[in-house]
């Protein structure tokens, strides 16, 4: 029961880390001033509690590469020191999970859950602190499928390109200065964008995948494709005609607003709509308080 409770707390910590990143990503989305500094700080403080942090990145006997990398990146975005967070040197811990082959892997009795997200976030987290190891970047670049996209799982019999994984890999490779290695992935994303600007996962156009792809397109300097993705995301945002408690949220898919999927969809779509790649996120200049939604007049001009 204690282990299950720790896993649940770890999942909550993951959500808070993601929201910490998205709150500071929202600033470039419009002309509105940066906001949500108070909430982001509270989330970071909560995550720094030793028991909570251990439940997310692993305790003394287990360590999870993806979680460690996400936490380190979130801490850096908040302007704090990832080498001393919650009593843990997140960067040293992450480097300790780098194998001789350049892959970040989990150390756990429950198995290795590392994948393209772990690898990409590992590079993104280490790049601002002296640069990501060349072996880690080379491993990610070499995982590319023949069609130009990137798979979620490494070393599979069939390399299956995935929108989300390709979007993450492209961002990481660009952040590491490897644009030539990212180029095929960028082209694969553009070729897999639907006419309405969306990207799909498992056959369903959704704002989660579109948000990640939009971040990659922004990082790659593809404004036309990014703008199309952004318009799709904004088309699924709840406006003034929606329930007061839902306004501003982003639905997962065109099927309609679902409060069970909207929190994650909104968190993942905001950086994409803002045109803010993970490597560019910064809490600098963020101010407390959230803007209020003002209903626009529907009166037609005379």
């Amino acid at each position: 029961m204690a282990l299950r409770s720790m896993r649940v707390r770890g999942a909550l910590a993951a959500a808070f880390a993601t929201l910490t990143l998205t709150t500071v990503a929202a600033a470039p989305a419009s002309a509105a001033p940066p906001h949500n500094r108070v909430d982001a700080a509270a989330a970071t403080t909560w995550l720094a509690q030793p028991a909570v942090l251990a439940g997310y990145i692993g305790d003394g006997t287990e360590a999870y590469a993806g979680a460690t990398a996400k936490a380190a990146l979130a801490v850096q975005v908040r302007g704090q020191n990832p080498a001393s967070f919650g009593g843990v040197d997140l960067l040293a811990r992450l480097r300790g999970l780098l194998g001789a082959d350049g892959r970040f892997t989990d150390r756990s009795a429950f198995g290795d859950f590392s994948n393209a997200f772990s690898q990409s976030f590992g590079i993104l987290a280490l790049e601002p602190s002296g640069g990501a190891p060349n072996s880690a970047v080379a491993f990610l670049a070499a995982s590319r499928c023949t069609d130009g996209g990137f798979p979620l799982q490494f070393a599979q019999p069939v390399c299956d390109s995935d929108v989300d994984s390709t979007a993450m890999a492209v961002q990481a490779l660009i952040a590491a200065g490897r644009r030539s290695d990212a180029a095929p992935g960028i082209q694969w994303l553009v070729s897999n964008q639907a006419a309405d600007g969306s990207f799909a996962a498992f056959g369903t156009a959704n704002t989660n995948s579109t948000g990640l792809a939009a971040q990659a397109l922004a990082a790659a300097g593809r404004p036309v494709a990014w703008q199309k993705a952004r318009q799709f995301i904004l088309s699924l945002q709840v406006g003034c005609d929606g329930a007061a408690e839902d306004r501003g949220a982003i639905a997962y898919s065109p099927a309609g607003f679902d409060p069970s999927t909207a929190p994650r969809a909104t968190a993942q779509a905001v950086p994409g709509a803002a045109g803010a790649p993970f490597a560019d996120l910064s809490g600098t200049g963020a101010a407390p308080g959230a803007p209020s939604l003002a209903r626009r007049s529907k009166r037609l001009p005379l």
Side-chain angles (χ1 to χ4, degrees), residues 229-256:
R230 181 175 186 270
Q231 287 305 313
F232 173 78
I233 292 171
L234 295 181
S235 73
L236 296 184
Q237 186 172 40
V238 179
C240 293
D241 293 333
E245 64 272 18
D246 298 332
R247 293 172 191 165
I250 298 171
Y252 172 74
S253 77

Side-chain angles (χ1 to χ4, degrees), residues 285-301:
S292 59
L293 294 176
R295 177 182 284 272
R296 293 181 178 177
S297 172
K298 292 186 176 181
R299 289 189 306 166
L300 295 176

